[in-house]
Amino acid sequence: IMDIFPSKVIHIGGDETPTVKWEACPKCQALGLSKDNLQAHFTQKVFDFLTSHQRRALGWDEILDGGVAPSTMVQSWRGTGGGKRAASLGNKVIMSPNIYLYLDYYQTPDPAAYGEPLAIGHYVSLQKVYSFNPYEGLKARERPFIHGIQANLWAEYLPSFDLAQERLLPRLAALS
């Protein structure tokens, strides 16, 4: 990955972790760690590997559950709580809370009435995107840790480019 993408920041994921499989895995159990601590153990190994190659790790807010190094960046998607927590710990944060910035979610409160195709998630109005303040609820000393914001458009329910554009616009413009 580092040969293909020379970015100094590498997203390592950290969500959708199969902890049920870990609980049944003899090798995982032999480590004597809880599922959160096992994820933290693995995240730290990936972090150390990236650091040894002069790269920085970025992971979804689930990586906070077992603790992370201060130089790990956190992308907050499950609302804003993970971003607030990470900023309070001194981690740089990318805010992309699903309740504001998941643009693959419905644009109307009643999708059937408006003929909106199936989407995963909820309703994110244009006004909701406009209202997003990545600093809300943060202390002045925590605000510098907000490194940026990102809207997401997951394509599982977007069978065409036209539908992708329909979901993006005008909400992406509101974020801008």
Side-chain angles (χ1 to χ4, degrees):
I1 295 294
M2 291 183 279
D3 291 340
I4 298 170
F5 301 104
S7 171
K8 294 295 179 194
V9 178
I10 306 289
H11 205 301
I12 63 171
D15 65 327
E16 301 177 4
T17 307
T19 59
V20 172
K21 291 182 180 182
W22 291 354
E23 292 164 0
C25 170
K27 290 181 182 179
C28 295
Q29 293 301 307
L31 294 171
L33 300 170
S34 71
K35 63 182 179 181
D36 288 341
N37 289 338
L38 186 56
Q39 179 161 352
H41 173 76
F42 179 73
T43 299
Q44 187 63 47
K45 287 198 171 295
V46 173
F47 170 81
D48 291 344
F49 176 79
L50 290 173
T51 300
S52 73
H53 288 85
Q54 292 74 52
R55 299 303 203 291
R56 185 176 208 175
L58 166 64
W60 296 113
D61 56 54
E62 284 91 339
I63 67 172
L64 290 168
D65 295 344
V68 295
S71 57
T72 302
M73 295 177 71
V74 175
Q75 187 162 2
S76 184
W77 77 273
R78 297 179 296 176
T80 58
K84 291 175 184 176
R85 182 172 160 210
S88 75
L89 295 170
N91 295 85
K92 285 196 174 184
V93 176
I94 305 293
M95 289 292 236
S96 57
N98 62 333
I99 59 174
Y100 291 95
L101 300 179
Y102 270 40
L103 304 185
D104 53 315
Y105 285 10
Y106 292 112
Q107 291 195 72
T108 58
D110 187 356
Y114 291 96
E116 268 196 90
L118 180 64
I120 192 167
H122 309 282
Y123 163 53
V124 176
S125 70
L126 179 63
Q127 293 77 15
K128 184 84 171 182
V129 177
Y130 269 119
S131 74
F132 179 59
N133 175 359
Y135 302 110
E136 186 175 330
L138 292 176
K139 297 174 181 156
R141 66 177 171 74
E142 297 166 342
R143 291 178 179 192
F145 293 103
I146 302 302
H147 191 65
I149 58 176
Q150 175 182 304
N152 293 313
L153 183 77
W154 302 107
E156 297 97 326
Y157 291 84
L158 300 173
S160 71
F161 182 67
D162 287 345
L163 183 55
Q165 285 185 307
E166 185 179 310
R167 290 273 163 82
L168 280 173
L169 301 170
R171 296 182 293 179
L172 187 60
L175 177 60
S176 298

